[in-house]
């Protein structure tokens, strides 16, 4: 099963979400891919270096003010997509 996690928040929120991604990776015994808005591209090398993260993708047309990514324009090879956001979204 292929899993993608999306996240839109702030840099700190994204880092605070990583223990959840790590736990998911351990539970499924596989690396988890990540999708963020372009605003977070500068932190992608740090995220990609984590052993529990597979690919790190940027959704260029995802405005950081929107809670969920817009329609994705690249092939979607994932069985499961999880959004790590806030309850108010």
């Amino acid at each position: 099963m292929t899993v993608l996690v999306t996240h839109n928040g702030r840099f700190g929120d994204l880092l605070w979400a990583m223990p959840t991604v790590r736990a998911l990776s351990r539970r499924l015994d596989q690396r988890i891919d990540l999708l963020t808005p372009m605003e977070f591209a500068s932190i992608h090398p740090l995220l990609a270096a984590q052993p529990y993260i597979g690919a790190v993708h940027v959704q260029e047309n995802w405005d950081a003010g929107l809670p969920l990514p817009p329609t994705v324009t690249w092939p979607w090879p994932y069985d499961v997509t999880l959004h790590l956001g806030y309850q108010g979204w």
Side-chain angles (χ1 to χ4, degrees):
M1 169 175 35
T2 57
V3 179
L4 176 73
V5 169
T6 69
H7 188 278
N8 182 27
R10 296 184 177 101
F11 281 101
D13 297 331
L14 181 56
L15 293 177
W16 277 105
M18 291 303 101
T20 302
V21 177
R22 184 179 60 227
L24 180 62
S25 172
R26 286 180 180 166
R27 177 72 174 173
L28 297 174
D29 193 30
Q30 69 180 45
R31 298 174 97 184
I32 305 298
D33 289 357
L34 183 66
L35 174 70
T36 72
M38 178 62 106
E39 176 182 335
F40 303 115
S42 64
I43 201 171
H44 283 192
L46 173 67
L47 298 172
Q50 305 311 305
Y52 52 90
I53 294 182
V56 182
H57 304 286
V58 171
Q59 181 65 33
E60 293 182 12
N61 64 341
W62 185 4
D63 178 357
L66 297 175
L68 295 172
T71 303
V72 176
T73 57
W74 44 277
W76 201 261
Y78 297 99
D79 298 315
V80 176
T81 302
L82 303 170
H83 181 70
L84 298 181
Y86 300 103
Q87 187 173 3
W89 290 357

